[in-house]
Amino acid sequence: MAGLELLSDQGYRLDGRKATELRKVQARMGVFAQADGSAYLEQGNTKALAVVYGPHEMRGSRSRTLHDRAVINCQYSMATFSTAERKRRPHGDRKSTEMSLHLKQTFEAAVMTQLYPRSQIDIYVKILQSDGGNYSVCVNAATLAVIDAGIPMRDYVCACTVGFVDETPLADLCYAEESGGVSSLALALLPRGGQIALLQMDARLHQDHLETLIEAAMTACKGVSKVLDEVVRQHLQEVSVLTGE
Amino acid sequence: MLKSKTFVKKTRSGGVMKIVREHYLRDDIWCGSEACTECKQESTVLQKDACIESNLCSYPHYLIPDTNVVLHQVKRKKKAVGLYLLPLNIYPHNFCSSRETFIEREPGESANDRNDRAIRVAAKWYSQHLKMFESDTDGLKVVLLTNDQGNKQKAEESDLLVYKCEEYIKSLIANPELVDRLALSSDDKNEITSSKVLFPEHLPLSRIQAGIKSGSFLQGTFRASRDNYLEATVFVQGEGEDSTEVLIQGLQNLNRAVHQDVVAVQLLPRNQWVAPSSVVLQDEGTAKDDDVEEEEEEKAVTEAARKPTGKVVGIIKRNWRPFCGMLNVSQIKESTRHLFTPADRRIPRIRIETRQASTLAGQRIMVAIDGWPKHSRYPNGHFVRSLGGAGEKNTEEEVLLLEHDVPHQAFSQAVLSFLPKMPWAITPEDMVRREDLRHLTVCSVDPPGCTDIDDALHCRELENGNLEVGVHIADVSHFIRPGNALDKEAANRGTTVYLCGKRIDMVPELLSSNLCSLRSNVERLAFSCIWEMNHEAEILKTRFTKSVINSKASLTYAEAQMRIDDTTKNDDTTKSLRGLNKLAKILKRRRIEKGALTLSSLEVRFHMDSETHDPIDLQTKELMETNSMVEEFMLLANISVAQKIYDEFSECALLRKHPAPPPSNYDILLKAAKSKDVVIHTDSAKALADSLDVAKVDGFPYFNTLLRILATRCMMQAVYFCSGMDSDFHHYGLASPIYTHFTSPIRRYADIIVHRLLAVAIGADSTYPDLMDKHKQSALCNNLNYRHKMAQYAQRASVAFHTQLFFKSRGILNEEGFVLFVRKNAIIVLIPKFGLEGTVFFDGKDKTAPNLVYDEEGPTLTIEQHTFHIFDKVKVTISLDDSNIQHQKIRMALIDPVISGVSVPAPDVGPQAKKPKLDQ
């Protein structure tokens, strides 16, 4: 690859991390009072805000109503100030639509929708600052928001991107790495059961490497789930102190 | 700890972007010292008693070289220079990511200053860190090496031990020779610097790139001329086929470019274009160092002969390597500056500084270029190592290998660790996907003395009356697994190089001469290609399989021929050979009908003295029926395999093609044939083959061979390529639409790849990523093509060197030969007896040129009254010219026909020839 050396001989990445190390994850739940559930999550320099409404009655066209489970409605958008160059169209472009669809698929696999027939759950995610791994940060933030809303899920959904450089999988890519021509893969996992909620890759990769890459992604997702679990417990403690229980 | 880096960057479209990046500082980067007990490192690299004897530092110490120092010394892709030759272990410490040593750039501080400060901080940290363990390290200290005056001063201010690089190296007691190996640093060349600027400045890279984009400059590879040091061409790769060559003449225009550099050239206006000069000019000026006379004006050149001419405006990429050559010791006594003359005439002389001139004189040495300032006539370099006395066989062989870039070091431990453990035997796991063919009567036929047998054959009659023919190739890919050190080494070497009396193996000997070699009466793994044929040699069925065979006999070509001819023998092996021979004849006939070329080149074999390994006799290789028998089946196997892997992997099959030569290549052949009233058709390979067959001149039996030798010279190089990257697969010489190399995996890496592809195709092995990547495949092909070319050159050079040795021992010889080419001032003569080609010059420095008339149409050369045509029979005397020790050559002089003033009287050679070994 011309220019950037993504992995040094001593095994350090551009930003000083080792191959398997994640970026620093920080999160808060219940950031808005109006919404049913909300969360703010930072993964390195990528920052996302997730808001959940519902479950509530179907709005808009009734025809989309499902009689055995809830409809999940996702909307993904990026703040105009989220990237180095100001974005013209914050949502509704092709990329955002695709991302919305992926989020919807992910949460349909995780949320116990059959508990709420004929109703709807809205998940809105906004990227406030983008530095790689947008999809996974959105999933992680939305998970916290759904938990905050008290909607039952099978498990946390944790997501992480993994790239492949010099025969080594790199966990949690930052933007510089993502744009450096790495074949990368995004994986959303239900960590306890080890089920994969979504796997997405649009780069070329030899079949032999796929297994190691998925393996690495799963380890990374489990790492994320630990952090999320801590955040949830911390939050619960705070809330219970406030309510005096 | 987390730090954020923010900086502003200009985008390609001209906008300005603010970029924010995270930077994680770690506290798990250890010091790497043996003495340290605090760091939790897994392995320590730096020893406790790091002791190099030095005048300056009498205590054990670690060195921290400034990055600029290291870069200055280790550039040019080469690891072993200066510092690295010290008995040091190197521990790369990642200062920028360590929490203790990270510093932030202060406002107003340049990037360079920040780096210098970072190094000082690091040195400080190290010395403080080591102080903690002072008790058991007897005063281990840290020494900073830098070449920057400012940096040194500041370091001294903060109580660090700091020396200039040169200062330090000079103080080393044990290694005084290291000083010579230091690359010259820029601030101590003041004495060489004459005020006169000899060369125009090179343009900065940004302007070069802009110029190339706008089309005002051209980018290309610089190729210096072998014969004229003031002339060079730049090969500009155009899109697709249209590549051009730009001529460059004159020292100023060459502007310090060295052979093989990638340069930017600017074309001169059309009225300044010149024709390439046909004069041979060698840089002999030591006295006229600075006043280089301008090229004398070319005499009226015809407009057609003029070529695009340009000048070098900048260097895009230097391609310097260490050069072999010899030292010209300076006449001034006590001088430490000397000129070095590389063996390759295309490389300019290099000025080096050494104190060991007297010992190095008469030796072959290696020198690396450090730079070429604009006021210096020659580039500056430094001494790397000595190869041994000039003219010695080992030294010359080493030079030959180095100059042709043949990797010839012993295999490293890492490579050898992937060899199978001895004693080796076939295990049941090996048999899982293999067919047991041990019962077949397989035999191998090779040249005498061959230890790397990679092919064996068998032929038997089936019950249905058809014949089963098998070609069994050593299964090298079983032993060399993709991606390991052994595989990488083999891929880099690309091919085994055969020199006279020496073989540079591609794979370690255990494999090449033992486990992979299909020797007789041992069980060996093989990759078999088995056909069912009828008696007309038509293929009915083809199959490929991995197998185990047990060869019944390893024969030489002569032995096999004898068995076939000996009607009393009737064993299985012989029957099998007869069957093969019969089929091979049919195959060959059919191939020739299709238009395959039978070309000819003379190859010689040396008979070596078994003790001194000096050549004692020389003989042209003979071809027997069995040679062509083996060849025929190898071709058939290669073609079958090529078809199979291409069917299976249309994107990434490794194939070999031989492009048809452009018609202009045949000019010389057509003219030569015409002089004997023979017409050669070159419209197609078939036409060429046919007309070569009928070309005969009465009373001149050798004519046909000569013609074929000429035809060989017209051909293009065959090359490996990846099927996904090219659309023309045709092999011109073999008249086959598709071809590859499958049959010699022991000595060619291409065959190993083909084996792997085929193994995947038949489900006998699994694939791996690089095999399916056409870009990687294509890069590999480039390396293989390069290695093959270089191996060929090295082979030829080796033959030439041994020919010289041979003639040195033989003294002067008179031989008959044929004129092969006619040039403006010389004829090139081929001596069939030795397969030797030499030039007879008619003008020289020491004698007055006779009256030469050159006719390009013939081409003929008339000297005084005698006219030379191509194919004329002449008699020459051969001797060794060793006036120039670096370039010894064979000299030929004309004896017959006698031309006064040109030919020489025949020297008496009778007695010398009879006692060849006495005058060594």
Side-chain angles (χ1 to χ4, degrees), chain B residues 852-868:
Chain B
L852 299 173
V853 181
Y854 179 68
D855 179 10
E856 211 168 306
E857 280 312 300
T860 60
L861 183 68
T862 311
I863 304 166
E864 307 293 335
Q865 271 79 49
H866 192 273
T867 306
F868 286 100

Side-chain angles (χ1 to χ4, degrees), chain A residues 9-49:
Chain A
D9 292 340
Q10 288 103 57
Y12 295 110
R13 290 157 66 177
L14 288 175
D15 51 9
R17 285 184 287 157
K18 292 204 166 167
T20 53
E21 287 172 344
L22 302 172
R23 288 180 289 181
K24 186 170 187 167
V25 181
Q26 281 174 308
R28 267 176 59 201
M29 292 167 71
V31 285
F32 297 125
Q34 294 285 349
D36 293 318
S38 59
Y40 168 77
L41 187 127
E42 283 181 12
Q43 202 160 332
N45 275 336
T46 308
K47 299 170 184 178
L49 203 53

Side-chain angles (χ1 to χ4, degrees), chain B residues 730-769:
Chain B
H730 196 76
H731 197 292
Y732 181 80
L734 297 172
S736 166
I738 191 164
Y739 192 67
T740 192
H741 270 163
F742 168 74
T743 51
S744 298
I746 299 180
R747 56 185 179 90
R748 288 189 304 231
Y749 190 75
D751 302 50
I752 296 185
I753 294 289
V754 171
H755 273 229
R756 288 180 185 157
L757 285 167
L758 185 66
V760 175
I762 61 169
D765 206 341
S766 59
T767 164
Y768 62 99

Side-chain angles (χ1 to χ4, degrees), chain A residues 55 68-70 111-117 119 151-153:
Chain A
D68 55 341
R69 57 194 162 96
V111 175
M112 303 184 75
T113 44
Q114 72 278 15
L115 296 179
Y116 308 103
S119 50
I151 300 171
M153 290 207 286

Side-chain angles (χ1 to χ4, degrees), chain A residues 189-243:
Chain A
L189 186 79
L190 304 178
R192 237 164 293 176
Q195 295 124 315
I196 293 173
L198 186 114
L199 184 125
Q200 185 232 345
M201 182 173 77
D202 41 21
R204 261 178 86 104
L205 184 84
H206 193 271
Q207 172 187 342
D208 287 10
H209 294 319
L210 187 63
E211 207 163 319
T212 46
L213 208 53
I214 292 183
E215 202 74 32
M218 286 171 75
T219 330
C221 287
K222 280 174 191 159
V224 173
S225 89
K226 250 183 232 158
V227 181
L228 295 191
D229 193 53
E230 252 166 62
V231 171
V232 173
R233 282 172 203 281
Q234 181 82 32
H235 177 72
L236 279 179
Q237 227 159 28
E238 279 166 22
V239 173
S240 53
V241 167
L242 285 179
T243 53

